[in-house]
């Protein structure tokens, strides 16, 4: 395996050396940006007692073994911190490239780029095109995602990063861009260190943040585990069972459970098909029972009561941790009370149009649950709602803050941070790069020209030809102020195609595209005018 790893690293270095990097002019006038990832979105290194450093997250080859021996944690209720079961191992986040290296490509040894490991890569590349410069106006903040979002050690590091970015950019306030759980970390910091947040932060843009939790995804993850990558790569990566054992000792995961004080419009449930036998007649019936978040916790605790792992000859119990539940309850209280400083502008981008787990169901009419411990070995079925595949829209929109805008983008949870629509929104909000003539911020109407070809001269016939081929993608969303039925303003675009010969005669065509909001949604009308030999058809 070591030989294979070295071979892959050698090939990767050769591939990178062969690539030509586009030179981009830095714009020193831009306000600095700090990128904060979500859970699993930071590279983690393990340092042993001899000082040897090795990347343990993310890695594909040898991943499961390294994960179990170096990352499996135990929670310390006295400090609120998780520490590796092997206490000789210290976990650190690399700070190369001013924090960007740890949140860029999580496994740099991979030859073929994967969405699972290319975290903020596309956004970093895009921002550099807009004129951002690493270490001057662009920074990253990686963190140990096993820890609580309000762990003081993490928040102290975040405060230092804000000060560093502020100083490095010449005393300019920072635009913080978060993804997923990174939004909860920043909200905890804002609640506990309001003065520092107000001093250094100009705006906060939260993307796909689970402000009220990701109930369906977290419930099944605690009971059955989850996969960080999908497809063929999953066979080389962490097993779902190994991931489950880690999650059971991570406060950050418990803090992603359904917020207990939030009044859900659509309550997330844990549902069980069970068999009930009548004592008198002896007849049995199959019933579907539903439990809200507060009533489902005792069931989950019973299901996990005998869960344990073997590590270094030790038998380590890993039930649903009541100490972490109590810790997470206080975190939820902190998050619900957080207030946005009046000088800071807040924006919210959330994913839509994906089936998103909300309620989780186990068993069936032909296969009822007879023992709660069976849940660990059963395949969950989901009742889905609209969202990004992980975070429901209802949770992502319920930030509890005075937002400048809330915008829904059709995208999945991981893909939303490399979405072209999101890039255009960010570019406008950050006032970066060249002006975008296709973006209308008033109603967030986006026209994306995805391809453009021009040919100007045919040497064989000496005829001057202008042929234009352009493909347009139309995207329309509401204005983000909590009203999904806000009217969109009409927008008209046009495209002309012409063929001009040396004489005064010419052929051509003009197409006008008009988009108007109707009761049934957006209506697109295309009007085509063909010009042939001076006549209109």
């Amino acid at each position: 395996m070591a030989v294979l790893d070295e071979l892959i690293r050698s090939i990767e270095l050769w591939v990178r050396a062969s690539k030509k990097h586009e030179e981009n002019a830095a714009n020193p006038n831009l306000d600095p940006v700090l990128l904060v990832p979500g859970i699993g979105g930071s590279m983690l290194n393990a340092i042993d007692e001899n000082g040897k450093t090795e990347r343990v997250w993310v890695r594909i080859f040898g991943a499961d073994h390294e994960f179990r021996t170096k990352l499996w944690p135990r929670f310390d209720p006295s400090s609120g911190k998780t520490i590796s079961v092997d206490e000789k191992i210290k976990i650190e986040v690399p700070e190369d490239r001013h924090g960007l290296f740890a949140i860029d490509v999580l496994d740099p040894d991979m030859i073929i780029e994967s969405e699972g490991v290319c975290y903020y890569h596309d956004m970093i590349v895009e921002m550099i095109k807009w004129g951002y410069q690493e270490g001057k106006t662009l920074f990253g903040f990686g963190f140990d995602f096993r820890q609580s979002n309000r762990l003081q050690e993490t928040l102290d590091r975040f405060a230092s990063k804000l000060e560093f970015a502020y100083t490095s950019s010449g005393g300019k306030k920072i635009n913080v861009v978060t993804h997923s759980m990174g939004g909860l970390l920043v909200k905890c910091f804002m609640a506990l260190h309001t003065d520092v947040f107000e001093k250094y932060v100009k705006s906060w843009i939260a993307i796909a943040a689970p402000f009220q939790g990701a109930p369906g995804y977290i419930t099944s993850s605690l009971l059955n585990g989850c996969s960080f990558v999908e497809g063929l790569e999953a066979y080389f990566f962490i097993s779902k069972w190994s991931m489950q054992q880690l999650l059971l000792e991570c406060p950050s995961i418990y803090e992603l459970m359904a917020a207990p004080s939030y009044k859900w419009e659509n309550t997330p449930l844990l549902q069980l098909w069970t068999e009930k036998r009548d004592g008198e007649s002896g007849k049995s019936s199959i019933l579907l029972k539903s439990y809200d978040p507060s009533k489902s916790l005792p069931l989950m605790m019973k299901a996990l009561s005998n869960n344990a792992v073997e590590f270094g000859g030790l038998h380590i119990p890993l039930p649903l941790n009541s100490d972490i539940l109590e810790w997470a309850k206080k975190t939820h209280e902190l998050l619900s009370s957080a207030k946005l400083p009046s000088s800071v502008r807040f924006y919210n981008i959330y994913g839509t149009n994906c089936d998103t787990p909300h309620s989780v169901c186990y068993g069936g009419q032909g296969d009822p649950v007879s023992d709660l411990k069976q849940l660990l070995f059963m395949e969950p079925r989901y009742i889905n709602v609209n969202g990004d595949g992980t975070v429901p829209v209802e949770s992502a929109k319920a930030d509890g803050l005075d937002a400048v805008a809330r915008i829904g983008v059709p995208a999945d949870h991981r893909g939303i941070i490399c979405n072209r629509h999101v890039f255009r929104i960010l570019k406008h909000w950050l006032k970066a790069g060249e002006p975008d003539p296709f973006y209308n911020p008033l109603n967030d109407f986006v026209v994306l020209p995805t391809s453009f070809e021009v040919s100007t001269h045919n040497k064989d016939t000496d005829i001057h030809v202008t042929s234009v081929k352009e493909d347009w993608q139309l995207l329309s969303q509401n204005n983000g102020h909590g009203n999904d039925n806000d009217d969109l303003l009409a927008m008209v675009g046009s495209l002309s195609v012409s063929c001009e010969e040396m004489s005064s005669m010419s052929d051509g065509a003009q197409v006008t595209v008009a988009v108007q909001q109707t009761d049934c949604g957006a209506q697109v009308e295309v009007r085509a005018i063909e010009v042939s030999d001076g006549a209109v058809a």
Side-chain angles (χ1 to χ4, degrees):
M1 188 64 72
V3 175
L4 182 58
D5 283 350
E6 289 303 320
L7 177 61
I8 289 174
R9 288 188 178 96
S10 299
I11 296 174
E12 177 69 13
L13 289 173
W14 178 82
V15 171
R16 290 182 184 177
S18 65
K19 291 182 178 179
K20 294 182 179 179
H21 296 280
E22 183 181 350
E23 295 293 331
N24 297 281
N27 182 357
N29 297 319
L30 291 172
D31 292 322
V33 167
L34 176 62
L35 302 177
V36 182
I39 191 164
S42 301
M43 189 185 296
L44 300 180
N45 290 336
I47 305 174
D48 65 17
E49 57 185 332
N50 298 318
K52 180 183 177 182
T53 300
E54 186 174 11
R55 188 180 73 252
V56 290
W57 183 273
V58 168
R59 57 183 293 157
I60 295 298
F61 294 101
D64 201 69
H65 176 268
E66 297 299 314
F67 184 84
R68 296 187 193 189
T69 56
K70 296 183 174 70
L71 275 184
W72 266 359
R74 297 306 307 272
F75 177 71
D76 179 5
S78 63
S79 64
K81 185 176 181 179
T82 60
I83 57 176
S84 295
V85 174
D86 184 351
E87 296 182 3
K88 297 177 182 178
I89 297 295
K90 182 181 180 182
I91 300 300
E92 286 189 348
V93 180
E95 284 293 337
D96 311 57
R97 292 172 49 204
H98 312 283
L100 292 169
F101 176 71
I103 64 174
D104 189 338
V105 180
L106 304 185
D107 185 355
D109 293 337
M110 285 197 68
I111 301 172
I112 302 174
E113 291 186 354
S114 165
E115 184 181 287
V117 298
C118 292
Y119 201 89
Y120 266 126
H121 179 72
D122 287 2
M123 187 177 291
I124 292 171
V125 170
E126 192 71 18
M127 286 186 165
I128 290 174
K129 290 179 182 178
W130 298 344
Y132 287 96
Q133 184 180 5
E134 295 185 6
K136 296 294 184 182
T137 51
L138 187 58
F139 308 85
F141 179 76
F143 57 94
D144 184 350
F145 52 82
R146 304 175 305 168
Q147 309 294 344
S148 167
N149 287 292
R150 63 180 176 95
L151 183 69
Q152 193 56 50
E153 182 180 318
T154 304
L155 299 185
D156 288 343
R157 285 186 56 244
F158 187 71
S160 297
K161 179 66 72 171
L162 287 176
E163 183 180 7
F164 176 78
Y166 179 83
T167 303
S168 300
S169 61
K172 294 181 179 179
K173 283 195 172 186
I174 303 151
N175 297 304
V176 178
V177 177
T178 64
H179 175 241
S180 191
M181 193 183 74
L184 301 190
L185 187 153
V186 169
K187 195 174 183 182
C188 284
F189 183 88
M190 184 178 71
L192 292 171
H193 303 281
T194 306
D195 54 340
V196 179
F197 190 81
E198 188 170 18
K199 177 181 179 180
Y200 292 123
V201 176
K202 178 179 181 180
S203 71
W204 169 23
I205 301 172
I207 303 175
F211 285 111
Q212 304 302 330
Y217 184 78
I218 296 302
T219 297
S220 63
S221 294
L222 289 171
L223 291 173
N224 310 108
C226 65
S227 297
F228 184 74
V229 296
E230 303 294 340
L232 181 62
E233 296 164 10
Y235 291 98
F236 300 95
F237 197 56
I238 314 298
S239 70
K240 292 182 68 175
W241 179 82
S242 295
M243 183 67 77
Q244 179 193 9
Q245 309 318 310
L246 175 128
L247 300 182
L248 286 167
E249 289 291 300
C250 293
S252 57
I253 294 299
Y254 291 64
E255 290 165 355
L256 293 175
M257 299 174 80
S261 62
Y262 179 67
K263 303 301 181 184
W264 291 89
E265 184 178 315
N266 185 10
T267 304
L269 303 171
L270 173 60
Q271 297 185 319
L272 306 176
W273 284 97
T274 59
E275 183 177 10
K276 181 179 180 181
R277 190 172 295 275
D278 189 289
E280 296 182 0
S281 65
K283 294 182 178 180
S284 63
S285 56
I286 307 299
L287 303 175
L288 177 63
K289 294 185 177 180
S290 299
Y291 304 88
D292 65 25
S294 62
K295 294 179 180 178
S296 65
L297 283 177
L299 302 180
M300 295 175 65
M301 295 186 76
K302 190 169 183 179
L304 288 158
S305 58
N306 292 340
N307 187 58
V309 299
E310 303 294 329
F311 184 91
L314 299 176
H315 181 80
I316 303 176
L318 286 177
L320 194 70
N321 195 312
S322 57
D323 288 329
I324 301 182
L325 283 170
E326 187 61 31
W327 178 277
K329 179 181 177 182
K330 294 178 181 178
T331 303
H332 283 131
E333 292 172 355
L334 177 68
L335 289 168
S336 64
S337 64
K339 302 296 182 184
L340 183 75
S342 58
S343 62
V344 179
R345 296 167 67 86
F346 172 72
Y347 304 84
N348 186 341
I349 300 174
Y350 55 91
T352 66
N353 288 24
C354 295
D355 287 337
T356 303
H358 195 57
S359 294
V360 186
C361 181
Y362 290 92
Q365 287 181 299
D367 183 27
V369 177
S370 58
D371 185 343
L372 288 174
K373 296 181 181 63
Q374 292 178 322
L375 300 185
L376 307 188
F377 311 101
M378 302 185 78
E379 190 70 25
R381 290 182 293 111
Y382 299 111
I383 298 174
N384 295 314
V385 295
N386 187 23
D388 61 21
T390 300
V391 181
V393 165
E394 183 181 355
S395 172
K397 291 175 68 174
D399 48 66
L401 304 174
D402 184 14
V404 176
R406 296 184 184 91
I407 296 180
V409 176
D412 63 66
H413 189 69
R414 193 69 61 81
I416 196 169
I417 54 174
C418 55
N419 182 280
R420 308 306 300 181
H421 185 181
V422 171
F423 288 167
R424 289 195 161 186
I425 297 170
L426 291 178
K427 184 179 178 183
H428 174 76
W429 286 345
L430 297 173
K431 297 180 174 60
E434 296 297 324
D436 188 345
F438 297 99
Y439 185 69
N440 182 347
L442 185 62
N443 50 29
D444 189 40
F445 187 98
V446 180
V447 180
L448 299 177
T450 55
S451 66
F452 186 76
E453 301 174 6
V454 179
S455 174
T456 58
H457 192 259
N458 187 323
K459 295 181 179 180
D460 294 335
T461 60
D462 200 32
I463 297 177
H464 189 77
V465 178
T466 302
S467 63
V468 179
K469 176 185 178 182
E470 186 166 7
D471 298 324
W472 287 20
Q473 177 185 0
L474 305 181
L475 297 175
S476 173
Q477 297 297 328
N478 61 45
N479 65 5
H481 293 287
N483 184 358
D484 292 335
N485 297 316
D486 289 333
D487 291 338
L488 296 175
L489 299 181
M491 177 169 285
V492 177
S494 64
L495 173 68
S496 62
V497 183
S498 64
C499 171
E500 299 179 359
E501 300 184 16
M502 298 301 292
S503 66
S504 59
M505 307 294 285
S506 65
D507 293 340
Q510 180 173 342
V511 178
T512 301
V513 181
V515 182
Q516 187 98 24
Q517 183 71 7
T518 69
D519 293 337
C520 300
Q523 175 180 315
V524 180
E525 181 181 354
V526 180
R527 307 184 189 96
I529 302 175
E530 178 183 355
V531 180
S532 177
D533 294 335
V536 178

